[in-house]
Amino acid sequence: MILERAERIEMKLNEIIRIKRKEQNLTQEEAAKRLGVSASAFNKWEKGNACPDIAVLPALARLLKTDLNTLFSFREELTEQEIGLFCEELSSIIKQDGFEKGYAVAMEKLQEYPDCGPLIGMTASTLDGALFMFAPASRESYSEQLEQLYERAALCDDMATRDFANYMLAARCMQHGDYDRAEELLDQLTDKPAVDKNHMKANLFVKLGRLDEAAQILERKLMAAASDVQSALLALMTLALNENDMETAGYLAEVSQKSSRLLESWEYNSYVAAFELAAAKKDGDTCMEMLTGMADALKKPWLFSQSRLYRHVPQKIPQNKSDLSEILPGLLASIKSDEDMEFLKNRTDFDSLLEQHPLT
């Protein structure tokens, strides 16, 4: 048992050394030289083929600007609930005190739990979303730091976290035009299992008379499927636009709107495809009609638990207007900076929308 624990610590140690060295922008050769060891020895540490001598550890910790507890990851793992609560607190801090303060709090937490992959992934996602909502002007300056966090999360043992991190890294690669790397990352994602465990579990709960639990499982599946349908339709419409097939693009936008309403999805989704189609056509009137609908949808919460399709899915009903309204400034900022949306920028109704939701 002690040997197994030692092997786990050794594995974690080499990962932490590699991550911390990169955070300090040091090459293996530079780090080795400062510690007075050979580059080959340092390379073995990072590969996990050897451990640093105990006499070197204090100097190694100082070089990497960390401590021995962090190096050996002598911390308990956080539960999913603890991570969720921290990310909620982090969002509140950013909203009240600004992104810079929230980022500092996040880095302090990650220093305390440097090897907790789910925490790293959720923190990166929370910071990413907060940048879009509260500080869109700062997105570029924090891009590299967020990418490093996703890279750290992609190294963890938790499959869901690893898949999410690689997915986010692939999306960033596509934005930067690095399509080969994006394909490589996407190929690392795990495929969905051939059998549907949740569907069978729902059937089991029906047999056991646990009807609420069975309904909740099935309603969550329907909600996820509805989201997948919208994503696929939007992607197909974009493909049709790239093929200059406006007739098919229009049909797909119409199907997207109808299916969103039929499956009682978030109202915002029913406007997105039509907005993208109108933008491609440079149709300012339709663009503003859809954009106004999107803005209105963001101002109110999606009360899915009041739908007969999702009535068993628990939901905490917000007391005030939807926090999703915070997304609006970021959305408008991206439109304002998009050269392809130039046709909207001199419209009085677009200016009015900007005045109602000033860019941060």
Side-chain angles (χ1 to χ4, degrees):
M1 190 71 175
I2 294 175
L3 180 59
E4 290 176 0
R5 170 65 178 160
E7 288 173 350
R8 286 200 298 270
I9 289 176
E10 181 177 326
M11 180 187 69
K12 291 181 178 180
L13 176 60
N14 80 291
E15 292 176 357
I16 292 172
I17 290 174
R18 182 176 66 251
I19 290 167
K20 292 292 183 183
R21 172 184 61 80
K22 289 183 176 180
E23 286 180 356
Q24 300 305 316
N25 294 317
L26 294 170
T27 64
Q28 288 185 347
E29 291 75 14
E30 290 170 337
K33 184 176 180 180
R34 295 195 192 185
L35 292 171
V37 300
S38 67
S40 61
F42 198 96
N43 180 264
K44 288 180 181 179
W45 298 350
E46 289 199 357
K47 286 185 174 179
N49 296 331
C51 279
D53 188 273
I54 192 168
V56 179
L57 288 175
L60 176 62
R62 288 194 296 272
L63 174 67
L64 301 180
K65 290 185 170 46
T66 187
D67 53 46
L68 294 178
N69 278 343
T70 298
L71 276 180
F72 284 100
S73 194
F74 287 145
R75 301 282 183 180
E76 296 180 359
E77 290 293 305
L78 292 172
T79 65
E80 184 177 338
Q81 183 179 14
E82 288 174 321
I83 293 171
L85 288 172
F86 169 70
C87 289
E88 286 181 13
E89 293 172 5
L90 182 59
S91 295
S92 297
I93 290 170
I94 293 172
K95 188 174 181 180
Q96 294 172 10
D97 302 324
F99 185 84
E100 191 172 338
K101 171 65 176 177
Y103 182 80
V105 170
M107 293 305 101
E108 185 178 340
K109 189 74 169 182
L110 294 184
Q111 188 172 12
E112 186 179 359
Y113 297 95
D115 200 43
C116 184
L119 173 66
I120 298 170
M122 283 296 294
T123 299
S125 177
T126 301
L127 292 172
D128 216 350
L131 270 177
F132 179 82
M133 289 192 290
F134 306 121
S138 302
R139 293 184 75 183
E140 191 64 33
S141 58
Y142 282 96
S143 177
E144 186 176 344
Q145 292 94 317
L146 289 178
E147 196 162 318
Q148 288 176 358
L149 290 180
Y150 284 128
E151 286 174 351
R152 286 174 59 183
L155 296 173
C156 85
D157 295 330
D158 181 73
M159 184 177 67
T161 299
R162 191 169 63 245
D163 276 357
F164 172 72
N166 280 327
Y167 180 88
M168 296 302 293
L169 287 170
R172 287 171 172 269
C173 287
M174 290 177 67
Q175 290 174 356
H176 301 149
D178 189 354
Y179 301 125
D180 290 339
R181 176 61 176 156
E183 184 175 7
E184 180 185 332
L185 288 164
L186 290 174
D187 285 342
Q188 293 178 27
L189 301 184
T190 54
D191 292 325
K192 290 184 178 179
V195 294
D196 189 340
K197 177 185 75 174
N198 286 329
H199 196 94
M200 181 161 292
K201 185 179 282 188
N203 290 337
L204 172 63
F205 286 167
V206 170
K207 299 281 189 186
L208 294 172
R210 294 159 62 177
L211 302 183
D212 282 351
E213 292 174 82
Q216 187 176 143
I217 289 174
L218 295 172
E219 287 172 8
R220 288 187 186 278
K221 278 173 58 65
L222 179 60
M223 190 180 290
S227 177
D228 286 345
V229 165
Q230 287 301 310
S231 296
L233 287 169
L234 185 59
L236 285 169
M237 190 199 72
T238 302
L239 180 61
L241 289 174
N242 289 335
E243 294 172 337
N244 203 28
D245 185 349
M246 303 305 288
E247 183 178 352
T248 299
Y251 175 75
L252 289 165
E254 183 180 354
V255 171
S256 172
Q257 189 170 64
K258 287 181 178 179
S259 63
S260 177
R261 291 171 178 169
L262 178 66
L263 294 172
E264 299 179 29
S265 299
W266 181 28
E267 184 185 348
Y268 179 90
N269 292 337
S270 66
Y271 299 107
V272 176
F275 173 78
E276 296 289 346
L277 177 63
K281 292 180 174 180
K282 310 293 184 187
D283 180 350
D285 290 341
T286 304
C287 262
M288 286 308 306
E289 181 185 348
M290 296 301 108
L291 188 56
T292 300
M294 291 159 69
D296 289 341
L298 286 169
K299 293 175 188 176
K300 54 190 177 186
W302 175 32
L303 302 177
F304 55 80
S305 61
Q306 295 181 5
S307 162
R308 283 183 290 181
L309 292 179
Y310 313 113
R311 60 196 175 95
H312 292 89
V313 180
Q315 179 180 26
K316 182 180 179 181
I317 306 297
Q319 299 300 313
N320 302 313
K321 69 175 184 177
S322 171
D323 282 343
L324 292 171
S325 60
E326 304 292 349
I327 296 175
L328 264 176
L331 174 64
L332 295 174
S334 65
I335 293 174
K336 188 174 175 63
S337 62
D338 189 343
E339 292 182 0
D340 291 334
M341 303 298 290
E342 194 71 34
F343 65 95
L344 282 184
K345 296 174 187 175
N346 294 323
R347 292 180 62 103
T348 56
D349 46 3
F350 184 68
D351 290 340
S352 176
L353 203 56
L354 288 174
E355 289 174 6
Q356 294 174 42
H357 307 281
L359 308 182
T360 54

